[in-house]
Amino acid sequence: MEVETLQDAEETKNGGNDFEENGSLDPVVYQLVRVEGDGTLVPPTEDEVLQIEQFLDDKVDLPSIDDVGNVEDFFTNDCMLLKEPDFEEGYSELETNGEIHTQQFDADLEVDRLKPSDDSLDIPSKCTVVHDHKPDTEQGDNNIVHQDNASTETPKSTVLNDSCSAEKEKTDACSRSVNNSSTGPSVSGVTSSVPDFSILRGEVSLDNLTIRELQEAFRATFGRETTVKDKLWLKRRITMGLTNSCDVQSSGCVVKDYKIVCKDAKHELPTIGGIPKAEVEATSLVRYQVLGPGNERDTPSCSYYRSEDQQRSSNRLKGVSTDNDESEGTLQDEQGAAKRLRKPTKRYIEELSDTETLDSTGKLSSPGKRVAHGEVLLRQRVTPLQEVDSLSITYPTRKDTFGGFSVHVPYASRMRRGRPRRNFISFLDDDPPVECPEVQMAVETMLGKDGEHVNHASSAVEVPLTKNAEKKGGHIETAEKKGGHIETADNKEIHSIEPEDICRTDAKTKTKRGLKRKHHRAWTLSEVLKLVDGVAQFGPGKWSEIRRLSFASYSYRTSVDLKDKWRNLLRASQTQLSPENDGVCPRKSNPSIIPIPPAILLRVKELAELQPQAGNLAAAIKFSGQSSKAAQGRGSSGFL
DNA sequence: CTTAGGG
DNA sequence: CCCTAAG
C-alpha cells in the first residue's frame, strides 16, 4: 500500500503560525497519514514523520505572507499572462516561491505520505484525493497514487493554498471556496478575471458541452478566455486543469473528478478549477496546470508539453509511469489529430533556449520560456529533490514541441551550426611575429600544408637570392649580411630567418585586415634553381606540379608563387641578360640586392625560349626532360 | 584547385 | 605578394 499523504484541512493547531497571527489564514496542517488499501488512515510512522518534517522546515520559510502574495499574484497574472507573451517578469518571483512549494511537495511526494507537518506549514489539505479521471485506471491503491501524481493539483491550487494561509483576503476567498464547494475558485477573486466555475461544478460530462460551453468552462478553469474551438482540445484542457493531470482523455472527461475532489476536500482550493488539493501530488500537478494555462496560448501544443513533463515527473516521482504514458500518448495523438501541428517559432525557440540556459535547473527547459514559465515553476517545485537525476538526463536535450508533440532536441542543434571559422588558422599563422620555425611548423602543420617545415627549417639555409647572389659555389651558402646570419652551409642554417621576415610578418599581421599577408620570403638561390629546374622538367605553367615535386620542402611556396617568380625571372632574364653586358643590375646597384646569377638567368632564358617552342611542338613534354637536363648541364654546372 | 594576369 | 578572372 501506499502511504498516502493526506492533508488535513486546516488546522488550527498551528499555533503560533504567522498565519494565525495574521489571522488571515486558516491554518492548515498537513497530517501525515498512511492510507491503507481499504482507505483507512493510519498514523504515520516516526520515520515518515521525520522525513516529512525536514521538508517542512525548509518550507516554512517559504510561505511568508509576502511571498505568498507574490505567488498568488503571479499565478493570477499567470493566467492572464500566459496568453500574452509578455509576462515573463512575473515569473521570476514566482519561481522562487514555486520552488519552495515544489520542494515541499516533492518531499511529500517522495515520502508519499503526509505527516502532520509543523504548524508552520499550512497547506490546506484536503482529503485524499482519489481521482478517477481515467476510467481505465485501476482503482487500487496504486491507482490512487498514480492518479494523484498524474492528476493532481494545479499549481494554482498550491499557490492558493499558500496564499490563503498567508493572505487574509485570500484567506477569505479560500475559506469561501472551501466552504462553498460550489463556489468558484476563490482565485477568481484574486485573479482579475473571475472564472465562473459553476459550470464545472457537478459532474458534467464535457462531452456534452458545446464549444461555447467548453470555452466557458475553460475560462472558468483557467481564468482566461480561449478562442480555441477545438472541442477535443478544450475538453482536455479543462479536464487537465481540473484534474491537474495529464492523463485526461479527450473524450469522456468528466468534471466530476474535480468535483469529487472538492467534495472530499473541505476546501476547495481556489485554484484553477478547484482542484483538489492533494498536495502531495499536487506538486506535480501544479506544474501541469500552470503549464496548461500558460502554455496554452490557446494552442493545444501546450498540453503536449505538459503531458510529457508531467509524465516524466510523475513517473520519476512515483515510478508510476504506465498510466501516464498512456494518457499522454492519447493526448498527443488526439491533439495532433485535432490540431495542426505547430512549428516552434523562431522566437519561441529562442525563448526556449534562453530559458533553458537560464534554468540551471535544467529540467525546466522545456518548451518556451514563457510557456514554460509556468512549467518551470512547477517543475522546480516538483523537481528539486527528485528530479536531480532527471535533470542530468534532461540537460542535454531540450524539449520542443512540434505539432503538439514534444520532441527532445539536442541543445546543440540549436546552437549555431556554422562551421568553425576557417580563419582561425590564419590567426595562428599570423602569429609568428617571431620567427620561430617551430611556430611556423606548427602552423603549417595545422594548415596541413606540406610538412615541409622541417625541411624548411633545416634547409632553410638558403639565403635569399638577392642577397647572396653569387655566392653559390655550389650551394648557396652565403649569407649575406642581411640575413644577419651567415649561413655557412646551406644545411646548417636553421635559423635563417631574416629580420625581414619577422618584420614582414608583423606587418602583415597588423596590416592585413583580416587576411594576413603572406609572410614574405625572399627567394633563395636554391629555390630559384629548383624552380628553374622544375620548369625545365615539367614545363612552364605546370606550377602545381613543380610545386609538388620540386618544392616539397617549401611549403610556403605556392604554385602561384612559383608562377610569379618565374615571371619575374623571365623578366629579369630578358632585361638583365640582354643588357647583360652591363652586368649591372639595370635598376639598382643596390648592394643589398644581389642579382640572380647570370647562369640562372640564362637558364631561364633558355627555358623560356625553349618552352614556347617546345610548347608549340608539344615537345614540351619530351622536351622537358631534355631541356631540363640540358639546362642543368649548362648553367648549372653546379647547381643541381 | 590551378592558371594567368594585373596590381 | 595579393587579387581576380577563368577554366
Side-chain angles (χ1 to χ4, degrees):
Chain A
M1 333 239 6
E2 294 56 0
V3 177
E4 201 39 354
T5 6
L6 295 186
Q7 298 172 346
D8 266 44
E10 51 252 35
E11 120 22 1
T12 7
K13 309 183 177 165
N14 350 323
N17 292 341
D18 293 348
F19 299 96
E20 283 188 358
E21 290 179 359
N22 292 338
S24 57
L25 303 181
D26 299 344
V28 176
V29 177
Y30 283 115
Q31 287 188 356
L32 188 55
V33 180
R34 183 187 297 274
V35 176
E36 295 298 337
D38 58 352
T40 58
L41 300 181
V42 177
T45 61
E46 285 187 2
D47 291 346
E48 291 176 352
V49 173
L50 291 175
Q51 291 180 19
I52 292 171
E53 283 183 352
Q54 291 179 352
F55 292 100
L56 292 177
D57 290 347
D58 293 347
K59 287 183 167 188
V60 173
D61 296 347
L62 300 180
S64 62
I65 294 171
D66 293 348
D67 292 349
V68 172
N70 291 339
V71 173
E72 260 196 6
D73 291 350
F74 172 80
F75 277 101
T76 303
N77 292 337
D78 212 355
C79 298
M80 315 291 293
L81 292 178
L82 289 178
K83 299 171 184 178
E84 312 198 344
D86 308 337
F87 49 89
E88 308 171 8
E89 295 180 356
Y91 282 105
S92 54
E93 291 179 357
L94 291 179
E95 288 183 358
T96 307
N97 294 335
E99 272 198 344
I100 295 169
H101 291 295
T102 305
Q103 283 187 349
Q104 283 186 337
F105 287 110
D106 290 347
D108 290 350
L109 291 174
E110 278 191 331
V111 176
D112 275 359
R113 18 185 121 136
L114 292 182
K115 147 197 181 179
S117 58
D118 300 350
D119 295 349
S120 59
L121 293 182
D122 301 89
I123 295 175
S125 51
K126 293 349 195 322
C127 20
T128 4
V129 175
V130 175
H131 299 287
D132 290 351
H133 320 329
K134 297 180 170 186
D136 308 355
T137 311
E138 325 107 324
Q139 301 200 339
D141 295 347
N142 293 337
N143 291 337
I144 293 170
V145 173
H146 287 297
Q147 287 182 349
D148 289 352
N149 291 340
S151 60
T152 23
E153 306 180 350
T154 320
K156 273 193 168 185
S157 58
T158 306
V159 173
L160 290 175
N161 294 337
D162 292 348
S163 64
C164 291
S165 55
E167 299 180 357
K168 307 166 183 177
E169 293 177 357
K170 299 182 174 181
T171 303
D172 293 350
C174 292
S175 57
R176 278 188 250 153
S177 62
V178 172
N179 295 339
N180 298 338
S181 59
S182 64
T183 304
S186 59
V187 173
S188 62
V190 175
T191 307
S192 60
S193 64
V194 180
D196 177 0
F197 292 86
S198 58
I199 199 171
L200 298 178
R201 296 231 166 192
E203 300 183 358
V204 176
S205 172
L206 294 176
D207 294 321
N208 298 329
L209 298 176
T210 62
I211 291 173
R212 208 171 227 183
E213 291 171 325
L214 288 171
Q215 287 181 340
E216 184 58 22
F218 181 94
R219 190 172 76 96
T221 306
F222 300 104
R224 70 188 188 85
E225 305 267 343
T226 182
T227 56
V228 176
K229 296 187 171 113
D230 183 327
K231 264 193 170 183
L232 207 63
W233 184 79
L234 286 169
K235 285 190 279 187
R236 252 193 204 158
R237 281 307 240 212
I238 294 167
T239 305
M240 287 174 69
L242 293 175
T243 61
N244 291 327
S245 82
C246 304
D247 301 301
V248 181
Q249 293 182 352
S250 60
S251 62
C253 297
V254 179
V255 179
K256 77 179 170 188
D257 288 350
Y258 155 28
K259 194 174 181 186
I260 291 170
V261 173
C262 291
K263 291 178 179 179
D264 291 351
K266 300 177 172 176
H267 328 286
E268 247 187 52
L269 294 182
T271 40
I272 297 174
I275 294 169
K277 284 194 166 186
E279 298 299 336
V280 177
E281 292 150 337
T283 311
S284 61
L285 292 178
V286 171
R287 222 208 332 194
Y288 297 121
Q289 283 192 346
V290 172
L291 290 176
N295 288 347
E296 282 191 5
R297 294 175 174 183
D298 295 349
T299 305
S301 62
C302 300
S303 58
Y304 294 115
Y305 278 25
R306 284 200 211 158
S307 59
E308 275 196 2
D309 291 347
Q310 288 182 352
Q311 288 180 350
R312 282 190 180 182
S313 63
S314 59
N315 290 342
R316 292 172 190 169
L317 295 177
K318 300 198 175 181
V320 176
S321 54
T322 341
D323 292 353
N324 293 334
D325 291 349
E326 287 181 3
S327 62
E328 249 194 4
T330 305
L331 290 175
Q332 291 179 355
D333 293 347
E334 288 179 2
Q335 289 183 355
K339 305 210 165 175
R340 69 168 191 258
L341 300 182
R342 172 172 161 241
K343 212 156 90 190
T345 315
K346 285 182 182 178
R347 182 180 182 194
Y348 183 67
I349 294 169
E350 290 178 2
E351 289 180 359
L352 289 176
S353 309
D354 292 350
T355 302
E356 290 174 359
T357 305
L358 294 178
D359 308 1
S360 50
T361 48
K363 247 284 187 67
L364 302 184
S365 65
S366 32
K369 263 189 195 163
R370 300 201 169 141
V371 174
H373 256 323
E375 200 179 322
V376 172
L377 292 179
L378 294 178
R379 272 200 186 185
Q380 285 183 347
R381 294 177 180 176
V382 174
T383 319
L385 300 178
Q386 302 172 350
E387 303 232 346
V388 176
D389 56 346
S390 69
L391 290 178
S392 61
I393 295 168
T394 305
Y395 227 85
T397 59
R398 80 143 41 74
K399 272 189 202 160
D400 260 341
T401 305
F402 289 95
F405 289 85
S406 321
V407 177
H408 285 280
V409 179
Y411 282 102
S413 67
R414 298 278 172 184
M415 310 221 132
R416 63 91 143 333
R417 327 191 142 182
R419 44 191 188 314
R421 281 194 164 118
R422 99 182 275 216
N423 279 335
F424 88 89
I425 291 174
S426 320
F427 292 104
L428 294 178
D429 230 2
D430 299 291
D431 62 272
V434 176
E435 247 327 61
C436 304
E438 292 181 0
V439 173
Q440 265 221 316
M441 293 177 62
V443 172
E444 290 180 1
T445 303
M446 294 186 68
L447 292 178
K449 292 189 172 186
D450 300 349
E452 299 318 41
H453 16 286
V454 174
N455 298 334
H456 167 342
S458 57
S459 58
V461 184
E462 336 228 354
V463 179
L465 271 183
T466 32
K467 303 176 180 180
N468 340 340
E470 300 83 19
K471 294 239 220 64
K472 49 256 294 18
H475 295 295
I476 322 161
E477 38 279 6
T478 349
E480 281 302 71
K481 356 119 162 253
K482 280 202 130 191
H485 300 317
I486 297 172
E487 313 161 23
T488 12
D490 330 356
N491 318 338
K492 330 179 163 183
E493 305 283 358
I494 296 173
H495 37 355
S496 59
I497 299 170
E498 291 130 28
E500 284 186 9
D501 293 348
I502 297 171
C503 297
R504 296 189 178 176
T505 305
D506 294 346
K508 68 166 135 180
T509 302
K510 298 172 183 176
T511 308
K512 287 313 184 160
R513 345 138 178 158
L515 304 178
K516 56 182 175 216
R517 193 168 177 132
K518 182 181 172 185
H519 186 121
H520 177 272
R521 304 207 75 120
W523 279 73
T524 62
L525 187 58
S526 66
E527 286 176 315
V528 172
L529 289 174
K530 287 189 176 183
L531 174 59
V532 172
D533 190 51
V535 172
Q537 289 182 32
F538 308 98
K542 307 289 183 189
W543 311 118
S544 62
E545 297 251 327
I546 295 169
R547 192 193 81 109
R548 274 201 321 261
L549 302 176
S550 303
F551 287 78
S553 10
Y554 306 87
S555 60
Y556 50 89
R557 296 295 181 203
T558 66
S559 59
V560 173
D561 291 329
L562 298 181
K563 180 257 301 175
D564 288 342
K565 183 60 181 173
W566 182 251
R567 183 172 56 184
N568 291 334
L569 287 173
L570 281 179
R571 250 182 240 157
S573 68
Q574 291 175 357
T575 56
Q576 283 190 27
L577 287 179
S578 34
E580 184 178 352
N581 297 334
D582 294 4
V584 184
C585 302
R587 24 180 179 131
K588 353 174 152 179
S589 55
N590 184 337
S592 64
I593 297 174
I594 296 169
I596 293 170
I600 294 175
L601 290 177
L602 259 179
R603 283 182 63 194
V604 171
K605 192 172 185 178
E606 289 182 4
L607 288 174
E609 291 174 354
L610 290 175
Q611 295 303 348
Q613 297 173 4
N616 295 341
L617 302 178
I621 301 169
K622 312 166 187 169
F623 228 4
S624 61
Q626 294 179 351
S627 67
S628 68
K629 290 179 181 178
Q632 287 180 1
R634 299 182 182 165
S636 60
S637 53
F639 295 99
L640 298 178

